[in-house]
Amino acid sequence: MAKKELIPRQPMPEQAPEVRSKNFEEVPTGQSPETAIREAERCLQCKKPVCVDGCPVGVDIPGFISLVKEGKFTAAISKVWEKNGLPAVCGRVCPQELQCEGKCIVGKKNEPVAIGNLERFVADYERMNKKASLPEKAAPTGKKIAVVGSGPSGLTVAGDLILKGHEVTLFEAFHKPGGVLVYGIPEFRLPKEIVFSEVAGLEKLGVKLECNAVVGRTISLDELFEEGYDAIYIGVGAGLPRFLNIPGENLIGILSANEYLTRSNLMKAYRYPEYDTPVIKGKNVITLGAGNVAMDSARTALRLGAETSRIVYRRSRDEVPARAAEVHHAEEEGVEFFFLTNPTKFLGNEKGRLTGMEGLKMELGEPDDSGRRRPIPIEGSEFELECDLAIIAVGAGANPLLTQSTEGLKLNKWEYIEADEKTGKTSKKGVWAGGDIVTGSATVILAMGAGRQAADSIHDYLTIGW
Amino acid sequence: MFKIIAREEMAEGTVILNEIDAPLIARKAKPGQFVILKANETGERIPLTMADTNPEKGTLTVIYMVVGKSTALFRDLKVGEGYQDIIGPLGAATHLEKVGKVVCVGGGTGVAVLHPITRGLKEVGNDITCIIGSRTKDLLIMEDLMKAASHDLRVCTDDGSYGHHGFVTDVMKEVLEEGGVNLVVGIGPVPMMKAVCKITKEFNVKTVVSLNPIMVDGTGMCGGCRVTVGGKTRFACVDGPEFDGHEVDFDELMLRLQAYTEEEKKSYNEHCNLVKQ
């Protein structure tokens, strides 16, 4: 019997590296209906779909893929929406290789089904065609929920609870909604129009949006309860940039990744002077750290005209925390990597501007607390790198602005909020928390997963009790 | 939109006062706190310490000097028009406590920032001597308000056109020499605050300054406003804006304020040319 011909994984078309490294347009350009259907045909429609186990929000993956296979794209997006309110975002930024696609049976012997690309395809198809009807809302319960922070977890909570019939208000400290999806992730990886369209969808369902509202300053949690909110979800993100604490770090030209990306993305400094906010455009740029945020920073620097964009990381390639796809994209575009390299000092001129960085070469020793081999400096390996912009992307801590102004909210030793792993309940009655302010810096989809759990628990509280 | 309900030009039109409808912020704001304002969709986020608030009326007042494109956009907003975004109140409030004799020193638009702080310090029972100054008489602002907020107001101009001929620091030194001063609050251009702190250190009098470095979010998220205080990096937006002036590295602050000087000039010139056309 002739063996059924294997369909290869359909490649995602992309802008060529030498072109895209000079513009802010999205890098992958999206699949056509034909290639999407062909990709969907690769799915085995497993009886026990392990891919779904790998999804923090439990999307019915074989369900929506079989609809794609039949060309029923509108039905497919409705299927995804049942579990995920932000598919256009997740299709782009989820680490699928560690989640759904990492578990895909096809992936055992061949390349896994491109679940992320298909999710993105159906979401984009719907955004262009607007054929799907809004999900149905349950009868009004008369209960009011305040969601603090409009990043991925806050948006998930808002979307889930509005459908269950509650009134939901989203409070955002910035002047635009979306949190890290808007201030952090660059346009070339996640066009802002997509985020605003997802938020507009929530508003259509009845979610109220209050921007410029710094909860903890403009209004406190207790005042929200006094105003008649029955439950509060805190999803404010980590939001405190870590610095290296080495000499010269306050020179002009050294920015936290938060500042660099916020200027470029939220404030649109990449379109300066059409937009008024400037950002330092380095000729020789160094990014410290090797997570996804570091890749975003180094790639943004190239697009803003840098001649060299270098990633300096104190561990080796094996320990790089960024997604492989991001590292690959960065390398293709010309970002250089300096592994096992640790900065020790920044150098500046008489105007207080950055001119270079001193560092030491490292070697790997015994595993540390994180299980990764600890980098140890090699004596006498000092070196100097010229740079006029350094971006510090070594992670974030817990921003204390809200937590310190709130009584009765228990924090852990790193000042993140203590919340129940299954429900997101905090030590303060009627208050839930999730996402990076609980776990420390993680991913969009994990924050969404935490939002989903909390929304379920909030619904139980409002209908059954604490 | 945050509507402007009153507007005044001061100091020959170089300094503008806006009273703005912002009930949520006005209800919570305390002396020493600031807001971030953004004129329109393409505008920058600009931090300004509030010059006054009226919780009953639901308004806040900012007073700023027109120095670049963003403040020029603010200047061009008329009564009835408004700011697209205002965020606040941000930063830590002034620590208001009865300590005895307090000298409040203000220069330029720093006087506007000094006003609610001075009033607050008077309300808790301090004996207030206030010293305000400007380059010349016509540039002096808020004389009447500062008089009402203090027990003894002294005015100086650099050119001698009004009040004492000389700098605020000269007058402050005289007052310090009289003795009995428990606290100095100095707010104005960075070189002025640096000079104030140099003198008060000689007299060993605790001195509070209010800093306004470059900021983006104002909530401790970006670290752009970092200043060195007592050898440690602090964020002015959440740890400040007020700090112990004897601990502040003013030289570093002055340099950091120059980070975008070229871009600011370019934007301002382009804006002025556009307006002329």
Side-chain angles (χ1 to χ4, degrees), chain B residues 8-18 33 46-52 61-67 71 74 105-118 131-136 138-143 145-146 168 186-190 192-193 210-212:
Chain B
E8 246 180 77
E9 295 195 355
M10 308 172 177
E12 298 181 314
T14 58
V15 174
I16 310 290
L17 173 150
N18 283 161
Q33 290 189 299
I46 301 290
L48 289 174
T49 303
M50 286 172 273
D52 209 349
T61 301
V62 288
I63 295 177
Y64 52 88
M65 191 179 291
V66 179
V67 291
T71 41
F74 291 1
V105 190
T109 47
V111 176
V113 176
L114 193 62
H115 172 242
I117 299 168
T118 309
I131 307 162
I132 60 172
S134 64
R135 204 152 38 77
T136 182
D138 294 335
L139 297 178
L140 192 73
I141 61 167
M142 303 178 78
E143 189 184 352
L145 283 169
M146 292 313 285
V168 285
I187 303 176
V190 180
M192 184 211 101
M193 291 193 285
S210 178
L211 309 181
N212 193 5

Side-chain angles (χ1 to χ4, degrees), chain B residues 88-115:
Chain B
L90 300 169
T94 308
H95 178 66
L96 298 173
E97 185 192 7
K98 185 173 176 180
V99 291
K101 189 171 178 185
V102 180
V103 179
C104 295
V105 190
T109 47
V111 176
V113 176
L114 193 62
H115 172 242

Side-chain angles (χ1 to χ4, degrees), chain B residues 112-132:
Chain B
V113 176
L114 193 62
H115 172 242
I117 299 168
T118 309
R119 194 174 50 191
L121 285 166
K122 189 184 175 192
E123 277 167 9
V124 295
N126 290 294
D127 173 14
I128 312 270
T129 299
C130 185
I131 307 162
I132 60 172

